[in-house]
Amino acid sequence: MSPEQRNLMRQRENMRRQIMTHDADAAVRDSGLQLNPQERARFESRYIQERRKVEQSLRQQVETERQKEIPALIQQLRKEFQIDEPGKGPVSKPAASPK
């Protein structure tokens, strides 16, 4: 991995951590609890832990749904592109000549 790619990954990870910390702080505020610093740290830690579980579960659900949808998508695209390719489209019957 190039130094630029590593740096970009570090930046993304730092941004993700900042967002998580901000969201954990908001969760403490929204809870309405009055916590001492030790309890607050435990609350934030648990929030982050449980949120990761929720996000992992959602990723799995999305992946499962994606896998269900992919075959139909491929089939649709196969039909669409077969029609557009010259010489590979459906063969049309010649018009009947009037007699």
Side-chain angles (χ1 to χ4, degrees):
M1 188 178 301
S2 73
E4 294 86 19
Q5 289 172 322
R6 282 193 300 259
N7 190 31
L8 182 59
M9 286 183 67
R10 264 190 237 108
Q11 288 175 354
R12 286 181 181 166
E13 180 61 20
N14 288 338
M15 180 62 74
R16 187 189 67 76
R17 285 182 184 158
Q18 288 175 353
I19 290 169
M20 254 327 197
T21 301
H22 178 268
D23 290 350
D25 288 340
V28 171
R29 277 193 314 275
D30 293 347
S31 73
L33 296 171
Q34 299 298 318
L35 304 173
N36 65 42
Q38 184 180 8
E39 290 171 328
R40 182 182 179 90
R42 280 187 38 227
F43 182 99
E44 288 178 358
S45 176
R46 287 277 297 157
Y47 172 86
I48 291 169
Q49 178 184 12
E50 294 301 321
R51 179 166 162 171
R52 283 184 182 138
K53 288 179 186 178
V54 168
E55 289 175 352
Q56 179 62 29
S57 174
L58 290 172
R59 278 192 293 276
Q60 288 174 344
Q61 288 175 15
V62 167
E63 185 59 30
T64 299
E65 288 300 312
R66 180 181 299 120
Q67 292 305 316
K68 288 179 186 176
E69 300 286 332
I70 294 294
L73 171 62
I74 291 171
Q75 192 66 17
Q76 174 189 345
L77 290 171
R78 182 179 293 144
K79 289 176 185 177
E80 183 179 322
F81 280 86
Q82 281 178 345
I83 292 170
D84 289 347
E85 290 181 18
K88 291 195 174 190
V91 177
S92 60
K93 293 181 183 177
S97 59
K99 288 190 179 181

